[in-house]
Amino acid sequence: MLFPYNEQSKMSDIISGEPTLLQMMSRFGIPLGVGERTVEEVCRASSVDVSTFLAVASFIKHDGHIDNSLSRRVSVTALVSYLQRAHSYFLDFQLPGIRRRLLEAIDCSGADEVAFLILKFYDEYMGEVRRHMTHENSKIFTYTSRLEAGRLTEGYSIERYERSHSAIDKKLQELKNIIIKYYTPQGSSDPLVGVLLDIYNCEADLRMHCAIEDQLFIPAVRSLEQKLLAAGADSEREGEINVDTNTETLSEREREIVACVVRGMTNKEVADRLFISVNTVQTHRKNIARKLGVHSVSGLTIYAIVNKIVDVAEMADKMH
């Protein structure tokens, strides 16, 4: 049975009982120093929608479970503000901070190939998260602001975003496995253990962030769409949203070629394996480089591991 917070709960009691909500307060733009005030008093002082705050707090407290009466009362505007602040935290603070500590914990002087691949892997991942969140900031949140202004967008709905929305925490599991299985620090393991703990925390934070988008944000936007449709709101084509912005998608043949290349095969060997000409292999490799912005074999190796084209364990010998 869920025990959701309510408007008259003391904000200090909520935070003391669930320290992870400290971060949530910041993402709602609520400062510390709440005194003995209630949730309602603190939220109103910071111009935060009380129902949305309670819904997110309950969602986090109960690990993704929430009372339906709370989820139906969330404000799209308040959720967008929360998600935008979360994006800034990930992109400007948490992920760069992990990278700095990673640089201090592993030998990136160039002598250790595993360390180089770990750093490249992480940089690729940071780039992916940045593209994901930048797209949401510029496209999806623009769409929701139009909805709140009473304007539908012809040919687009939140369902399209929902179909393409994917979790962004899972690849951190791959990074943890690479570090734990294949990297041996030259000195003390303490700095690297500290980074691993940071990655675990970031992974959990990103997982909850995506769950809030899936289970609170998307349903709230869908409800707003339905209200506008029922009211006969006009649709417009101006600035139509396009969620199909992923230029990195490789064809099945290109994925096969990536797998061959990262396993150390020459263009001739790839051609023989796939029963195509060397010129065709070269053309495919140019297209792959253009799509991914990756030109080195080590870069393709990271991409292949991240996207499960090859298995981490399979590449272990090559990484040593």
Side-chain angles (χ1 to χ4, degrees), residues 52-66:
T52 305
F53 178 90
L54 289 170
V56 175
S58 180
F59 190 85
I60 294 173
K61 167 70 173 178
H62 298 293
D63 195 27
H65 300 284
I66 188 172

Side-chain angles (χ1 to χ4, degrees), residues 74-93:
V74 299
S75 157
V76 172
T77 299
L79 272 179
V80 166
S81 178
Y82 172 90
L83 294 172
Q84 286 175 323
R85 285 193 179 95
H87 289 176
S88 295
Y89 174 80
F90 288 121
L91 297 179
D92 302 333
F93 178 74

Side-chain angles (χ1 to χ4, degrees), residues 73-219:
R73 293 158 53 197
V74 299
S75 157
V76 172
T77 299
L79 272 179
V80 166
S81 178
Y82 172 90
L83 294 172
Q84 286 175 323
R85 285 193 179 95
H87 289 176
S88 295
Y89 174 80
F90 288 121
L91 297 179
D92 302 333
F93 178 74
Q94 190 173 40
L95 291 172
I98 290 175
R99 189 184 192 277
R100 287 193 297 271
R101 291 186 288 277
L102 187 61
L103 280 170
E104 295 170 356
I106 64 177
D107 179 10
C108 294
S109 63
D112 192 322
E113 181 68 15
V114 179
F116 172 77
L117 285 173
I118 288 171
L119 187 61
K120 286 286 290 179
F121 189 113
Y122 188 76
D123 285 345
E124 291 283 338
Y125 176 71
M126 277 185 62
E128 180 181 332
V129 174
R130 184 171 298 279
R131 287 189 295 273
H132 177 101
M133 293 184 174
T134 299
H135 172 65
E136 290 181 346
N137 288 343
S138 63
K139 300 292 186 181
I140 307 307
F141 297 157
T142 297
Y143 171 69
T144 60
S145 69
R146 288 176 179 168
L147 289 177
E148 295 190 287
R151 307 199 311 267
L152 293 164
T153 300
E154 185 178 340
Y156 184 77
S157 71
I158 198 65
E159 183 181 354
R160 284 181 61 187
Y161 165 67
E162 183 177 22
R163 289 199 302 267
S164 64
H165 189 233
S166 58
I168 52 177
D169 62 286
K170 293 181 180 179
K171 290 178 183 177
L172 284 178
Q173 179 66 54
E174 296 283 343
L175 177 61
K176 289 184 301 184
N177 287 341
I178 289 174
I179 294 174
I180 292 169
K181 292 180 179 180
Y182 306 121
Y183 186 77
T184 303
Q186 297 302 310
S188 171
S189 294
D190 289 347
L192 192 55
V193 169
V195 173
L196 283 169
L197 291 174
D198 289 338
I199 292 173
Y200 273 100
N201 290 332
C202 182
E203 181 185 15
D205 195 3
L206 282 167
R207 186 183 307 116
M208 181 58 69
H209 176 79
C210 290
I212 288 171
E213 290 179 328
D214 287 336
Q215 298 182 50
L216 290 179
F217 174 67
I218 290 175

Side-chain angles (χ1 to χ4, degrees), residues 250-251 253-254 257-258 261 267-268 270-271 276-292 294-295:
L250 300 184
S251 67
R253 174 63 82 190
E254 288 167 340
I257 288 174
V258 168
V261 170
N267 286 349
K268 177 67 166 57
V270 174
I276 55 179
S277 71
V278 172
N279 285 339
T280 299
V281 173
Q282 292 172 336
T283 299
H284 279 304
R285 292 192 65 171
K286 288 178 182 177
N287 289 337
I288 292 166
R290 175 181 54 79
K291 287 183 177 182
L292 303 182
V294 175
H295 300 272

Side-chain angles (χ1 to χ4, degrees), residues 209-316:
H209 176 79
C210 290
I212 288 171
E213 290 179 328
D214 287 336
Q215 298 182 50
L216 290 179
F217 174 67
I218 290 175
V221 175
R222 183 178 291 114
S223 177
L224 183 54
E225 288 175 338
Q226 291 169 349
K227 289 177 182 177
L228 291 177
L229 287 169
D234 292 332
S235 296
E236 55 185 34
R237 295 189 61 84
E238 181 181 359
E240 183 174 351
I241 307 297
N242 177 17
V243 297
D244 301 321
T245 58
N246 183 9
T247 59
E248 294 188 358
T249 303
L250 300 184
S251 67
E252 189 59 37
R253 174 63 82 190
E254 288 167 340
R255 288 171 65 88
E256 290 176 336
I257 288 174
V258 168
C260 292
V261 170
V262 302
R263 289 176 177 126
M265 298 173 65
T266 65
N267 286 349
K268 177 67 166 57
E269 289 170 333
V270 174
D272 292 343
R273 167 71 67 84
L274 301 179
F275 303 103
I276 55 179
S277 71
V278 172
N279 285 339
T280 299
V281 173
Q282 292 172 336
T283 299
H284 279 304
R285 292 192 65 171
K286 288 178 182 177
N287 289 337
I288 292 166
R290 175 181 54 79
K291 287 183 177 182
L292 303 182
V294 175
H295 300 272
S296 66
V297 174
S298 60
L300 284 177
T301 301
I302 294 164
Y303 177 87
I305 292 172
V306 168
N307 289 278
K308 302 186 184 304
I309 296 174
V310 295
D311 186 75
V312 174
E314 178 187 354
M315 303 306 294

